[in-house]
Amino acid sequence: MTAPVPCDICIINSILLLQVTVRDALNQAMDEELERDERVFLLGEEVAQYDGAYKVSRGLWKKYGDKRIIDTPITEMGFAGIAVGAAMAGLRPICEFMTFNFSMQAIDQVINSAAKTYYMSAGLQSVPIVFRGPNGASAGVAAQHSQCFAAWYGHCPGLKVVSPWSAEDARGLLKSAIRDDNPVVFLENELMYGVPFEMSEEVQSKDFLIPIGKAKIERQGTHITLVSHSRMVSLCLDAAAVLAKEGIECEVINMRTIRPLDAEAIETSIMKTNHLVTVEGGWPQFGIGAEILARIMEGPAFNYLDSPAVRVTGVDIPMPYAKILEDNSVPQIKDIIFSIKKTLNV
Amino acid sequence: LFFILFIVVVSARTYADFTPQASFDIKKCDVHKLEEGPPLQAVLTREEGLQYYRTMQTIRRMELKADQLYKQKIIRGFCHLYDGQEACAVGIEAGINLSDHLITAYRAHGYTLTRGGTVREIMAELTGRRGGIAKGKGGSMHMYTKHFYGGNGIVGAQVPLGAGVALACKYLGKNELCVCLYGDGAANQGQIFETYNMASLWKLPCIFICENNKYGMGTSVERAAASTDYYKRGDFIPGLRVDGMDVLCVREATKLAAEHCRSGKGPILMELQTYRYHGHSMSDPGISYRTRDEIQEVRSKSDPISMLKDRMLSNNMASVEELKEIDVEVRKEIEDAAQFATTDPEPPLDDLCNHIFYNDPPMEVRGTNPWTKLKSIS
């Protein structure tokens, strides 16, 4: 954690603004929740003595010890199942997947053992568990380590699926996820871990929670609605900054939660702007944008669209390795700007 | 006065007649990485005997009634029956406490009963009615009670879950353990070996139990497993191979296993050699991969209920009439339950979307079309 940045503009009610990285926000959230509730514990590969493969759990094992921070062997199906069983029997596990690519090995436990159980038991058996880890494209890790699982998990009833963007998101949503009595899939992003964000005093408080299921408008606008999640929110804001110079004002919505999807926030925005572009890192077919567009078609906002809504997505291919190829496999700012201008017919 | 005297005399005569307890020889268990198996003799009291008899008979009759209802198409979908294996469920429960935990796969009706479910709510769950143990939303494979985690449909998935329950037992320090069951078919699943590893590393209080009924669906153990010594498959985990048709043998082995876990030694593995009279499920006649002779032989020589009955009768621990009376009572209980299960109404459509999330405010769920918005309550 860096020292507070002196901020001339923001001395309002002596608010103390800190610069906090997403990684540190996640770390602090877990630390505080471990302290708050003895039943909370963390398990996963390298989470304890290695301080976390991406250092998200740094310092926790030293503070809480073997009982609460557990290193597992490389056996996802087994340890995910163990985590779910522990949740069924009264604990509140945080199950880390080193990346969500590895969660595919354990996906049966996430869906069939965790997500469906409360329903199948007609309310007799709840499963208060958080599955967290980095999701989606990274940098140079190639096809097997770059998949986005937002659409796969977002498909399933019984799960809550959360995708934070900023440090504030990471903190408030992870706390909410840990305190939630249901299975929550928490999709982080490796490229965001090191990015610092300003964090107000209010956000720093121990009981700061962001409700699951509510999107946030990161930038107000009037000409077009951009809907995005995770790292792509940064790109949308960058695109919006460029277009503002040309007199195009974009409203940027940070979804924060994939499931349940805050369709109302999107609809309200479209009723104001009359245009929609969704932006995601994952593949196009049957993806996040596909769901949003379908819902808009079916809902009250359709009549407010002045042109068809479109999606900006990752390219429909396995992720290549070479930098030039990888760069062209995911949305860039220029792709977002291009799609906005086509939609606005400018 | 004479009437009162008569009752007293009759009662006194009834109890004085029977042996209060007796000791029985039980088969020796093969052991793996264990110094000693269970004792070769088991003491059975009259009360215990009557209770085991009643429970096993209840399971037997309940399963046969389910067979009937399935053939009448009143039960649908999957129905995996437990008749023949009663000594396992009853013997295990006799070796642990209700405060311990248990999880099994889909052949779960017997365990739902021994873990505290009633025949009524089990049968009503099979027929998909609102009085079912899971309000009709789970069905045959998804029944739950306190400290009983189902009823699990995905072969092998329940094993890591059970170890997780055991982890919670150890974490919370309540000296409870988890019995974690799987079949000979599931025994080859990778996630079970992952679980053996972690349970051993972390010394989880977990009794792994393989119910070896010789067939994984239609595949005999010889055709599925390179090693059919299931009690050894835990490798570094101590194991015992137990006669699963003898309720006393199962009980004594379970007691030994429970003691092992509670003393902090970590997991232990039991293989129960048992048999199912029915096929894998109601859609499997169960005779294409085994002979009727084989089934008949087990029935006549190794039936768990007959074995207990013979023991009790030949040691004067109960009378033929007494046991017959229990049979009559059990039959009545099953009939009443079946009556309930066939007349109780189906769940209300209002319940369709409930129980998605626990402890959440009511939410909207999309119906089959965009105009249908359904309500979901926790």
Side-chain angles (χ1 to χ4, degrees):
Chain A
M1 228 166 65
T2 56
V5 172
C7 183
D8 301 319
I9 314 160
C10 323
I11 308 173
I12 307 165
N13 301 337
S14 346
I15 296 169
L16 184 68
L17 283 170
L18 282 179
Q19 286 272 316
V20 181
T21 62
V22 171
R23 175 186 289 108
D24 288 341
L26 294 167
N27 183 281
Q28 283 156 35
M30 282 198 285
D31 191 350
E32 288 165 17
E33 295 305 302
L34 282 158
E35 194 173 296
R36 176 181 177 270
D37 188 338
E38 272 180 5
R39 299 166 299 171
V40 175
F41 72 100
L42 172 67
L43 85 169
E45 294 155 14
E46 311 300 344
V47 297
Q49 298 188 22
Y50 195 83
D51 272 338
Y54 299 97
K55 305 295 178 236
V56 177
S57 55
R58 174 170 38 213
L60 296 179
W61 175 68
K62 203 161 169 201
K63 183 171 176 184
Y64 295 102
D66 288 330
K67 182 181 172 181
R68 315 274 312 275
I69 313 292
I70 304 176
D71 275 335
T72 64
I74 309 172
T75 50
E76 274 78 2
M77 199 166 182
F79 73 70
I82 283 178
V84 175
M88 289 179 175
L91 299 184
R92 302 187 73 90
I94 306 169
C95 177
E96 177 176 305
F97 291 120
M98 195 181 281
T99 77
F100 267 94
N101 301 284
F102 314 143
S103 75
M104 266 204 287
Q105 305 232 294
I107 200 164
D108 176 65
Q109 296 290 1
V110 178
I111 308 300
N112 280 321
S113 301
K116 296 178 184 173
T117 293
Y118 192 66
Y119 187 86
M120 291 191 295
S121 67
L124 287 174
Q125 180 64 67
S126 63
V127 187
I129 188 167
V130 176
F131 299 101
R132 52 158 289 274
N135 174 59
S138 178
V141 295
Q144 293 178 343
H145 289 76
S146 305
Q147 188 169 332
C148 176
F149 287 84
W152 283 31
Y153 289 116
H155 188 59
C156 301
L159 282 183
K160 297 187 185 182
V161 182
V162 168
S163 184
W165 166 61
S166 61
E168 176 180 324
D169 287 357
R171 178 179 171 72
L173 287 171
L174 186 52
K175 277 171 159 304
S176 290
I178 293 169
R179 296 188 196 189
D180 201 302
D181 290 329
N182 298 285
V184 181
V185 170
F186 193 88
L187 304 170
E188 300 161 7
N189 187 293
E190 202 234 311
L191 297 172
M192 294 303 293
Y193 280 154
V195 178
F197 288 84
E198 265 170 13
M199 203 182 263
S200 70
E201 205 175 319
E202 186 211 338
V203 174
Q204 291 164 51
S205 84
K206 287 221 162 112
D207 285 314
F208 173 73
L209 301 172
I210 292 178
I212 293 177
K214 287 272 166 276
K216 183 183 176 202
I217 300 176
E218 297 288 350
R219 183 189 193 281
Q220 301 262 2
T222 46
H223 297 123
I224 187 165
T225 301
L226 301 181
V227 180
S228 183
H229 72 100
S230 191
R231 190 174 89 86
M232 290 293 140
V233 175
S234 296
L235 273 76
C236 287
L237 289 170
D238 291 344
V242 171
L243 286 169
K245 297 192 191 121
E246 297 177 40
I248 299 172
E249 294 298 330
C250 303
E251 180 144 292
V252 177
I253 297 182
N254 169 10
M255 290 173 71
R256 286 181 155 178
T257 300
I258 304 291
R259 183 180 183 110
L261 203 155
D262 190 355
E264 204 185 310
I266 303 171
E267 283 162 353
T268 305
S269 178
I270 290 170
M271 289 181 190
K272 185 173 69 168
T273 68
N274 310 118
H275 299 87
L276 172 66
V277 169
T278 67
V279 183
E280 70 199 276
W283 293 318
Q285 295 197 42
F286 313 100
I288 305 297
E291 173 65 18
I292 293 172
L293 265 55
R295 290 231 199 163
I296 298 306
M297 282 274 277
E298 290 179 346
F302 171 73
N303 289 310
Y304 290 77
L305 284 174
D306 287 346
S307 61
V310 301
R311 306 164 289 165
V312 175
T313 70
V315 178
D316 203 8
I317 51 173
M319 182 68 72
Y321 167 67
K323 186 162 198 317
I324 189 174
L325 297 179
E326 185 181 58
D327 287 347
N328 283 278
S329 303
V330 291
Q332 301 180 39
I333 298 168
K334 64 172 170 65
D335 300 318
I336 303 173
I337 292 173
F338 175 79
S339 302
I340 291 170
K341 286 186 167 173
K342 287 283 266 189
T343 304
L344 290 173
N345 201 23
V346 296
Chain B
L1 187 64
F2 175 74
F3 185 69
I4 296 166
L5 214 55
F6 177 74
I7 299 294
V8 169
V9 169
V10 166
S11 314
R13 227 171 45 149
T14 316
Y15 289 120
D17 260 2
F18 295 122
T19 321
Q21 70 178 46
S23 188
F24 296 97
D25 290 334
I26 53 176
K27 256 192 217 154
K28 183 169 183 197
C29 295
D30 294 321
V31 294
H32 169 73
K33 301 209 170 147
L34 259 183
E35 295 258 317
E36 251 183 86
L40 296 172
Q41 289 209 317
V43 171
L44 177 72
T45 69
R46 192 180 117 82
E47 283 76 42
E48 285 167 348
L50 291 173
Q51 189 234 309
Y52 302 161
Y53 181 84
R54 181 186 290 272
T55 311
M56 289 201 286
Q57 193 70 286
T58 305
I59 297 174
R60 177 67 58 93
R61 297 263 130 230
M62 178 175 75
E63 297 295 80
L64 293 179
K65 177 56 78 174
D67 169 282
Q68 222 179 69
L69 292 175
Y70 195 92
K71 286 171 176 155
Q72 294 175 279
K73 299 198 199 290
I74 299 171
I75 297 177
R76 23 187 299 277
F78 289 136
C79 192
H80 307 88
L81 298 177
Y82 198 68
D83 50 313
Q85 299 187 210
E86 296 87 354
C88 296
V90 175
I92 289 169
E93 197 61 49
I96 58 173
N97 308 313
L98 269 175
S99 55
D100 291 316
H101 307 253
L102 190 142
I103 190 170
T104 186
Y106 47 75
R107 201 175 300 281
H109 308 157
Y111 290 101
T112 314
L113 190 83
T114 53
R115 287 261 101 197
T118 64
V119 182
R120 247 165 97 91
E121 53 193 1
I122 293 171
M123 302 222 74
E125 187 60 33
L126 292 176
T127 55
R129 307 302 165 99
R130 63 181 69 185
I133 201 166
K135 301 191 171 72
K137 296 175 87 166
S140 168
M141 298 182 288
H142 307 295
M143 303 192 189
Y144 304 79
T145 71
K146 186 166 182 225
H147 289 203
F148 173 57
Y149 304 86
N152 286 277
I154 307 296
V155 171
Q158 76 277 12
V159 178
L161 293 179
V165 173
L167 188 147
C169 288
K170 182 170 178 178
Y171 191 107
L172 295 167
K174 289 195 268 188
N175 200 28
E176 293 163 5
L177 54 80
C178 185
V179 174
C180 182
L181 292 130
Y182 55 94
D184 50 276
N188 302 309
Q189 275 261 318
Q191 59 186 318
I192 293 185
F193 294 89
E194 296 186 12
T195 308
Y196 289 158
N197 183 41
M198 286 182 274
S200 246
L201 265 178
W202 302 334
K203 289 198 159 33
L204 301 181
C206 197
I207 305 177
F208 295 111
I209 301 188
C210 177
E211 280 181 296
N212 177 5
N213 59 20
K214 300 167 77 163
Y215 300 94
M217 201 152 144
T219 305
S220 67
V221 292
E222 299 79 38
R223 291 206 302 127
S227 162
T228 56
D229 290 333
Y230 297 103
Y231 72 111
K232 289 185 184 172
R233 300 279 294 273
D235 188 8
F236 35 77
I237 298 182
L240 20 149
R241 181 158 54 191
V242 179
D243 177 4
M245 303 307 268
D246 178 353
V247 68
L248 292 179
C249 205
V250 176
R251 183 188 75 182
E252 294 308 306
T254 306
K255 280 186 182 166
L256 182 143
E259 166 58 35
H260 176 101
C261 285
R262 283 191 231 277
S263 63
K265 295 196 183 109
I268 188 167
L269 205 164
M270 275 166 55
E271 176 189 339
L272 303 180
Q273 296 192 299
T274 182
Y275 199 83
R276 52 165 162 82
Y277 294 143
H278 268 83
H280 163 72
S281 71
M282 285 305 296
S283 16
D284 170 27
I287 45 167
S288 61
Y289 48 86
R290 53 186 193 172
T291 62
R292 285 187 213 267
D293 284 346
E294 178 187 286
I295 305 170
Q296 197 36 46
E297 187 166 345
V298 177
R299 253 194 225 280
S300 55
K301 297 203 180 133
S302 316
D303 184 277
I305 301 175
S306 302
M307 193 192 300
L308 178 64
K309 182 174 175 181
D310 291 344
R311 275 176 167 160
M312 292 190 70
L313 290 178
S314 53
N315 281 269
N316 197 30
M317 295 180 78
S319 71
V320 173
E321 291 79 32
E322 194 174 14
L323 295 182
K324 266 215 178 79
E325 212 185 295
I326 294 179
D327 290 349
V328 167
E329 282 166 13
V330 167
R331 233 174 271 259
K332 178 159 195 325
E333 185 182 359
I334 306 302
E335 274 311 316
D336 285 350
Q339 177 66 11
F340 174 68
T342 48
T343 54
D344 197 41
E346 289 191 285
L349 276 181
D350 287 343
D351 203 36
L352 181 68
C353 297
N354 292 339
H355 311 117
I356 296 288
F357 292 131
Y358 173 53
N359 214 11
D360 251 25
M363 66 177 193
E364 208 175 76
V365 171
R366 188 186 197 275
T368 59
N369 59 68
W371 298 275
T372 307
K373 297 184 203 301
L374 304 169
K375 193 163 180 210
S376 175
I377 302 176
S378 279

